[in-house]
Amino acid sequence: MLPAPAYVISDAHLGFATREVEQSLLSFLRHLRGRAGSLVINGDLFEFWFEWRHVMPRRAFRVLSLLADLRESGVPVLMLAGNHDCWGGDILRTDVGLDYRLGAWEGSLGGWHTRIDHGDGLRKVEDRKYRMLRRVLRSPISIALFRWLHPDLGSALAAGSSNTSRNYQPRDGGAGLRAVAQEALAAHNAPELVVYAHSHVAALERIGPGVYGNAGGWMDRPTYLRVSPEKVELCQWIGDDEVIQTSIARISK
């Protein structure tokens, strides 16, 4: 169970995103201390994340420090792996204290029965080739071989490949993930709320009896979801407070 108010962010791509994007996220995380009941990072917090035995990517230091502070203040933080940061381990789980997971999470989020998934590989037809590649990249053999590379070389190789992935924009404008959410919300014993990310397309809408939400890409626009027992809100961070703008949505339970 992740208590209310629960905040959901995704797709910051720190390490590639500008310093201004990073600063906005850091100010947001500072704001959450003493206010948030829980935090969900729905994938691709980092442009690239890999844990060598004694080394981690340098640009992650400040955000991990603030996340560790949140955890020490009693705020549970769930981090789901995205397609850019799916090689987490002891640093995230033990040193920072995150509940870091590969794959989907289902449970109570801010009082709503919720299913959360980053969203990569969920489209049945369009993502077929990617699903095959993902199995190779996440295999224990591939991870062990990559760990033998010097961190500077490994990071440079990862940056080149992630550039192609990051610059890919879904031609459907997020419609593919919306269709996946619609199917999930229509299933037997469906959750009340389905949350995806990955497309960088912020969304909040009622589909049938349930609700579909996507926090969007923080790298593109600092939007996030705020979940409480009464409602789900799509909000935008403006630096010192949270606001609901006219173009941002709110759905009551």
Side-chain angles (χ1 to χ4, degrees):
M1 182 183 75
L2 294 172
Y7 293 79
V8 183
I9 62 173
S10 58
D11 294 283
H13 292 273
L14 300 181
F16 170 81
T18 65
R19 289 288 184 181
E20 289 76 16
V21 169
E22 182 178 4
Q23 288 297 327
S24 72
L25 181 58
L26 295 177
S27 69
F28 174 73
L29 294 177
R30 294 188 190 101
H31 172 84
L32 293 186
R33 188 178 177 117
R35 294 181 174 90
S38 56
L39 171 65
V40 177
I41 303 167
N42 195 12
D44 288 353
L45 174 63
F46 304 113
E47 173 69 359
F48 167 65
W49 175 263
F50 192 86
E51 297 183 15
W52 285 269
R53 194 172 303 277
H54 301 292
V55 177
M56 71 176 195
R58 176 179 177 180
R59 285 286 298 274
F61 172 75
R62 296 187 69 189
V63 69
L64 291 184
S65 177
L66 284 178
L67 289 174
D69 287 344
L70 269 181
R71 286 294 300 116
E72 290 177 0
S73 72
V75 177
V77 180
L78 169 67
M79 179 176 176
L80 298 186
N83 50 306
H84 286 258
D85 50 17
C86 57
W87 300 280
D90 285 346
I91 292 176
L92 297 179
R93 293 189 179 104
T94 303
D95 296 338
V96 184
L98 308 182
D99 182 2
Y100 174 81
R101 302 187 183 201
L102 290 171
W105 176 92
E106 188 165 339
S108 176
L109 176 71
W112 295 62
H113 176 203
T114 305
R115 181 176 176 83
I116 308 173
D117 198 314
H118 180 64
D120 58 313
L122 293 185
R123 297 177 303 170
K124 293 180 180 178
V125 177
E126 299 92 329
D127 295 338
R128 185 183 298 118
K129 292 182 179 179
Y130 166 73
R131 286 193 293 271
M132 294 187 290
L133 175 62
R134 184 175 62 179
R135 284 196 293 269
V136 173
L137 294 176
R138 297 187 182 186
S139 73
I141 294 175
S142 297
I143 293 171
L145 290 174
F146 193 87
R147 188 167 279 122
W148 280 100
L149 295 176
H150 187 280
D152 288 345
L153 175 59
S155 297
L157 290 173
S161 61
S162 67
N163 181 65
T164 301
S165 173
R166 184 193 58 256
N167 287 335
Y168 169 76
Q169 295 294 323
R171 296 178 181 177
D172 60 12
L177 278 179
R178 184 192 180 279
V180 175
Q182 184 174 15
E183 183 177 348
L185 290 167
H188 179 64
N189 293 328
E192 299 173 282
L193 174 64
V194 168
V195 176
Y196 295 143
H198 187 57
S199 66
H200 292 217
V201 179
L204 182 64
E205 62 174 303
R206 190 176 294 280
I207 301 180
V211 174
Y212 166 56
N214 190 316
W218 191 283
M219 182 181 74
D220 309 299
R221 183 184 179 197
T223 52
Y224 60 97
L225 299 173
R226 185 180 188 273
V227 185
S228 62
E230 301 80 19
K231 59 183 179 289
V232 182
E233 300 166 282
L234 178 61
C235 310
Q236 181 172 342
W237 177 249
I238 59 171
D240 57 1
D241 205 349
E242 55 191 297
V243 297
I244 306 297
Q245 296 185 348
T246 56
S247 61
I248 307 295
R250 175 189 302 179
I251 293 180
S252 300
K253 200 165 189 177

